[in-house]
């Protein structure tokens, strides 16, 4: 499967898709928030530093979203952004409706 297909399939087949790096504190925070708030929502997490195509996936995400940093988060096939964006959505009460849409 190409990197593009992997990304597109995972964001369309999972309510939440998180492109992360295992050591990244922002990623840890975003993963903890999403998995604790939505434990039953199908969530796919890729640790880009632990998989062979990780840097190619990061390149494709930059091309697709304009964002190179991790975490790079998609909810319901929509690009949401990184940790700050998810926390902002949660604080403004919009996160739950985005996930349940
Ligand atoms: N403000 C961003 C910060 C994200 C960030 O700085 N992530 C670092 C890793 S901790 C990053 O992506 N660095 C570039 C890289 O790993 O290629 C957010 O809220 O997600």
């Amino acid at each position: 499967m190409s990197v593009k297909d992997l990304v597109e399939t995972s964001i369309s087949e999972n309510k939440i898709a998180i492109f992360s790096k295992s050591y990244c504190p922002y990623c840890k925070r975003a993963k903890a928030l999403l998995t604790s708030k939505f434990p039953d929502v199908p969530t796919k997490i890729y640790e880009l530093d632990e998989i062979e195509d990780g840097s190619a996936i990061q390149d494709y995400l930059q091309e697709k979203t304009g964002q190179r940093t991790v975490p790079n988060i998609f909810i319901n096939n929509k690009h949401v952004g990184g940790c700050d964006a998810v926390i902002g959505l949660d604080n403004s009460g919009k996160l739950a409706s985005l996930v349940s849409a």
Side-chain angles (χ1 to χ4, degrees), residues 21 23-26 58 68-71 82-84:
K21 289 187 182 175
Y23 54 81
C24 160
Y26 302 100
Q58 196 172 3
R68 182 155 189 89
T69 54
V70 287
C83 181
D84 294 344

mmCIF file of all heavy atoms in Angstrom, residues 21 23-26 58 68-71 82-84, ligand 1:
data_model
loop_
_atom_site.group_PDB
_atom_site.id
_atom_site.type_symbol
_atom_site.label_atom_id
_atom_site.label_comp_id
_atom_site.label_asym_id
_atom_site.label_seq_id
_atom_site.Cartn_x
_atom_site.Cartn_y
_atom_site.Cartn_z
ATOM 1 N N LYS A 21 4.408 10.714 17.417
ATOM 2 C CA LYS A 21 5.734 10.133 17.645
ATOM 3 C C LYS A 21 5.768 9.736 19.112
ATOM 4 O O LYS A 21 5.267 10.486 19.975
ATOM 5 C CB LYS A 21 6.857 11.112 17.294
ATOM 6 C CG LYS A 21 6.984 11.321 15.783
ATOM 7 C CD LYS A 21 8.180 12.155 15.371
ATOM 8 C CE LYS A 21 8.165 12.346 13.849
ATOM 9 N NZ LYS A 21 9.239 13.258 13.384
ATOM 10 N N TYR A 23 7.784 9.649 21.520
ATOM 11 C CA TYR A 23 8.457 10.421 22.570
ATOM 12 C C TYR A 23 7.912 11.856 22.689
ATOM 13 O O TYR A 23 8.348 12.618 23.555
ATOM 14 C CB TYR A 23 9.954 10.515 22.270
ATOM 15 C CG TYR A 23 10.265 11.050 20.892
ATOM 16 C CD1 TYR A 23 10.239 12.428 20.638
ATOM 17 C CD2 TYR A 23 10.532 10.188 19.842
ATOM 18 C CE1 TYR A 23 10.486 12.925 19.374
ATOM 19 C CE2 TYR A 23 10.787 10.676 18.563
ATOM 20 C CZ TYR A 23 10.760 12.037 18.338
ATOM 21 O OH TYR A 23 10.983 12.521 17.084
ATOM 22 N N CYS A 24 6.976 12.220 21.856
ATOM 23 C CA CYS A 24 6.544 13.619 21.745
ATOM 24 C C CYS A 24 5.534 13.964 22.856
ATOM 25 O O CYS A 24 4.468 13.335 22.952
ATOM 26 C CB CYS A 24 5.924 13.814 20.361
ATOM 27 S SG CYS A 24 4.860 15.249 20.221
ATOM 28 N N PRO A 25 5.839 14.949 23.694
ATOM 29 C CA PRO A 25 4.933 15.272 24.805
ATOM 30 C C PRO A 25 3.569 15.786 24.351
ATOM 31 O O PRO A 25 2.547 15.513 24.995
ATOM 32 C CB PRO A 25 5.688 16.348 25.591
ATOM 33 C CG PRO A 25 6.733 16.872 24.661
ATOM 34 C CD PRO A 25 7.062 15.773 23.704
ATOM 35 N N TYR A 26 3.547 16.528 23.236
ATOM 36 C CA TYR A 26 2.250 17.016 22.717
ATOM 37 C C TYR A 26 1.395 15.829 22.267
ATOM 38 O O TYR A 26 0.176 15.828 22.431
ATOM 39 C CB TYR A 26 2.461 17.978 21.548
ATOM 40 C CG TYR A 26 3.313 19.171 21.900
ATOM 41 C CD1 TYR A 26 4.662 19.212 21.564
ATOM 42 C CD2 TYR A 26 2.768 20.258 22.587
ATOM 43 C CE1 TYR A 26 5.455 20.296 21.893
ATOM 44 C CE2 TYR A 26 3.551 21.349 22.920
ATOM 45 C CZ TYR A 26 4.897 21.365 22.568
ATOM 46 O OH TYR A 26 5.672 22.444 22.907
ATOM 47 N N GLN A 58 4.952 11.423 7.170
ATOM 48 C CA GLN A 58 5.028 12.826 7.622
ATOM 49 C C GLN A 58 5.122 13.766 6.427
ATOM 50 O O GLN A 58 4.491 14.824 6.400
ATOM 51 C CB GLN A 58 6.226 12.996 8.561
ATOM 52 C CG GLN A 58 6.173 14.267 9.363
ATOM 53 C CD GLN A 58 7.258 14.334 10.444
ATOM 54 O OE1 GLN A 58 8.103 13.440 10.556
ATOM 55 N NE2 GLN A 58 7.244 15.389 11.230
ATOM 56 N N ARG A 68 3.435 19.956 9.390
ATOM 57 C CA ARG A 68 4.489 18.942 9.457
ATOM 58 C C ARG A 68 4.633 18.359 10.865
ATOM 59 O O ARG A 68 5.157 17.263 11.048
ATOM 60 C CB ARG A 68 5.827 19.538 8.993
ATOM 61 C CG ARG A 68 6.931 18.521 9.003
ATOM 62 C CD ARG A 68 8.080 18.775 8.077
ATOM 63 N NE ARG A 68 8.926 17.593 8.080
ATOM 64 C CZ ARG A 68 8.777 16.567 7.279
ATOM 65 N NH1 ARG A 68 7.828 16.569 6.352
ATOM 66 N NH2 ARG A 68 9.559 15.506 7.362
ATOM 67 N N THR A 69 4.185 19.124 11.884
ATOM 68 C CA THR A 69 4.384 18.648 13.252
ATOM 69 C C THR A 69 3.428 17.505 13.595
ATOM 70 O O THR A 69 2.378 17.318 12.978
ATOM 71 C CB THR A 69 4.155 19.796 14.255
ATOM 72 O OG1 THR A 69 2.869 20.362 14.015
ATOM 73 C CG2 THR A 69 5.231 20.859 14.128
ATOM 74 N N VAL A 70 3.856 16.764 14.620
ATOM 75 C CA VAL A 70 2.996 15.754 15.224
ATOM 76 C C VAL A 70 2.621 16.231 16.635
ATOM 77 O O VAL A 70 3.413 16.963 17.241
ATOM 78 C CB VAL A 70 3.705 14.386 15.293
ATOM 79 C CG1 VAL A 70 3.804 13.768 13.920
ATOM 80 C CG2 VAL A 70 5.083 14.466 15.956
ATOM 81 N N PRO A 71 1.474 15.888 17.165
ATOM 82 C CA PRO A 71 0.490 15.024 16.543
ATOM 83 C C PRO A 71 -0.236 15.713 15.387
ATOM 84 O O PRO A 71 -0.419 16.934 15.413
ATOM 85 C CB PRO A 71 -0.487 14.731 17.678
ATOM 86 C CG PRO A 71 -0.426 15.959 18.537
ATOM 87 C CD PRO A 71 1.020 16.388 18.479
ATOM 88 N N GLY A 82 -3.175 19.811 15.603
ATOM 89 C CA GLY A 82 -2.324 19.167 16.593
ATOM 90 C C GLY A 82 -2.926 19.189 17.987
ATOM 91 O O GLY A 82 -4.151 19.315 18.153
ATOM 92 N N CYS A 83 -2.056 19.091 18.963
ATOM 93 C CA CYS A 83 -2.489 19.037 20.360
ATOM 94 C C CYS A 83 -3.238 20.305 20.770
ATOM 95 O O CYS A 83 -4.314 20.232 21.369
ATOM 96 C CB CYS A 83 -1.247 18.827 21.230
ATOM 97 S SG CYS A 83 -1.596 18.709 22.969
ATOM 98 N N ASP A 84 -2.677 21.464 20.431
ATOM 99 C CA ASP A 84 -3.321 22.724 20.837
ATOM 100 C C ASP A 84 -4.744 22.810 20.275
ATOM 101 O O ASP A 84 -5.668 23.280 20.952
ATOM 102 C CB ASP A 84 -2.534 23.940 20.311
ATOM 103 C CG ASP A 84 -1.157 24.047 20.941
ATOM 104 O OD1 ASP A 84 -0.930 23.399 21.973
ATOM 105 O OD2 ASP A 84 -0.314 24.775 20.382
HETATM 106 N N1 LIG B 1 1.837 23.284 18.850
HETATM 107 C C1 LIG B 1 2.019 21.948 18.351
HETATM 108 C C2 LIG B 1 3.361 21.412 18.837
HETATM 109 C C3 LIG B 1 3.745 20.099 18.203
HETATM 110 C C4 LIG B 1 5.248 19.886 18.141
HETATM 111 O O1 LIG B 1 6.048 20.832 18.322
HETATM 112 N N2 LIG B 1 5.658 18.637 17.856
HETATM 113 C C5 LIG B 1 7.044 18.325 17.643
HETATM 114 C C6 LIG B 1 7.417 17.005 18.329
HETATM 115 S S1 LIG B 1 7.285 17.117 20.100
HETATM 116 C C7 LIG B 1 7.320 18.094 16.154
HETATM 117 O O2 LIG B 1 6.430 17.710 15.412
HETATM 118 N N3 LIG B 1 8.572 18.314 15.715
HETATM 119 C C8 LIG B 1 8.945 18.060 14.348
HETATM 120 C C9 LIG B 1 9.148 16.613 14.046
HETATM 121 O O3 LIG B 1 9.101 15.741 14.950
HETATM 122 O O4 LIG B 1 9.358 16.313 12.870
HETATM 123 C C10 LIG B 1 0.820 21.085 18.799
HETATM 124 O O5 LIG B 1 0.034 21.572 19.611
HETATM 125 O O6 LIG B 1 0.643 19.965 18.323
#
